[in-house]
Amino acid sequence: MLKHTIFKLGKEVEFLELIPVSDLHIGSAMFDPSIIKKFVEYVLAKPNRYVTIGGDICNFAMPNSKSDYWSEQLTPSQQIDKACNLLYPIRERILAIIDGNHDLRLYTLSGISPACQIATKLDIADRYFDGVAYFAVEYGHQPVKTASNGTRIGHSKKHYYPNRRVIRVEHGTGGGSTSGGKLNRAKRPNQSDLANIYIMGHLHDLVFTADCLRVPDFNMGKMPEWSNGDVS
């Protein structure tokens, strides 16, 4: 069952820059902590930058897994500690954190969710989502609008109407040999869950598309377009 959450970022965040992150694979032989440190510096450079973490935070190579168990740089507990140390400076900017298939290796053997452990240690346990993160963010304020009956709707001294965006984050499964195939996988959830932004990891590639849906707004007497985008 999905946990529905609304994060209120405040009026001072007029423009939201959302940065999806996944597949860090901390502990693998290919992992370079300097890249994460540069990323953390980038996030902290502006107060309107927020992050979603879409799984596979750690590598967790096991003797029976496809990953090379003998080339791991850190033990599972060390990988979790390393993730906490690297992400600690931006803990308040993390909107959601979920497990991926590599994280589930540890869960299968021990019943321990790495993403839940990391979120708890970072004191953001409310940002952990089991499986799929489906949430809304409110920020800034909408411009004043006029309804068909002449009523003015929007920001005023007495009423605050924030911008709201609905976001869905999952790790994803399977693969794709082309950008189109990967994008099709990222677009599948929009057939069941309505969101402005759909984010999926796992594929180790960056593809993006944007669409618009017309959603009736009977209060305004209009049918505005609901923009959504798919990111893999």
Side-chain angles (χ1 to χ4, degrees):
M1 185 175 182
L2 294 177
K3 178 178 71 173
H4 299 281
T5 306
I6 299 176
F7 297 118
K8 299 181 179 182
L9 306 183
K11 300 178 184 179
E12 63 278 4
V13 180
E14 296 183 2
F15 174 78
L16 174 63
E17 183 177 343
L18 184 65
I19 309 169
V21 176
S22 68
D23 301 278
L24 302 180
H25 294 287
I26 294 173
S28 74
M30 300 293 291
F31 175 69
D32 184 355
S34 66
I35 297 176
I36 305 301
K37 292 177 181 178
K38 291 179 180 178
F39 166 73
V40 168
E41 292 175 359
Y42 175 83
V43 173
L44 294 176
K46 289 189 178 181
N48 65 326
R49 289 172 176 163
Y50 287 83
V51 177
T52 62
I53 300 180
D56 281 4
I57 307 164
C58 301
N59 199 50
F60 296 129
M62 302 295 175
N64 60 344
S65 65
K66 294 182 180 180
S67 300
D68 186 358
Y69 171 73
W70 301 107
S71 68
E72 288 286 88
Q73 297 177 337
L74 302 170
T75 67
S77 62
Q78 289 172 337
Q79 290 179 32
I80 291 176
D81 289 342
K82 186 69 172 181
C84 291
N85 291 335
L86 290 170
L87 297 174
Y88 184 82
I90 59 169
R91 64 195 181 284
E92 295 181 355
R93 305 288 188 91
I94 297 173
L95 296 176
I97 180 170
I98 63 174
D99 286 309
N101 59 299
H102 280 247
D103 304 308
L104 292 177
R105 292 171 176 174
L106 184 64
Y107 180 81
T108 300
L109 293 175
S110 65
I112 295 174
S113 160
C116 184
Q117 288 285 309
I118 292 169
T120 300
K121 290 187 175 186
L122 294 177
D123 198 25
I124 53 169
D126 61 321
R127 309 296 173 96
Y128 165 72
F129 292 79
D130 183 9
V132 174
Y134 191 42
F135 61 97
V137 291
E138 292 183 348
Y139 61 95
H141 62 81
Q142 298 181 20
V144 175
K145 300 178 182 179
T146 303
S148 57
N149 61 3
T151 303
R152 290 174 64 81
I153 301 175
H155 180 63
S156 68
K157 293 182 179 179
K158 293 183 179 180
H159 301 286
Y160 166 54
Y161 297 92
N163 295 301
R164 177 177 287 184
R165 297 293 182 268
V166 180
I167 302 167
R168 188 187 190 279
V169 184
E170 69 170 320
H171 183 68
T173 58
S177 59
T178 65
S179 296
K182 295 174 182 179
L183 189 57
N184 286 337
R185 286 189 174 274
K187 290 173 68 68
R188 286 179 184 173
N190 64 16
Q191 299 176 8
S192 59
D193 298 323
L194 184 62
N196 296 106
I197 302 173
Y198 301 86
I199 300 172
M200 188 181 80
H202 185 67
L203 300 178
H204 295 200
D205 198 1
L206 177 62
V207 291
F208 171 81
T209 187
D211 302 296
C212 286
L213 301 174
R214 291 187 177 90
V215 180
D217 186 341
F218 297 105
N219 291 326
M220 294 291 293
K222 299 179 180 180
M223 190 175 288
E225 290 186 337
W226 173 287
S227 62
N228 61 22
D230 305 279
V231 182
S232 171

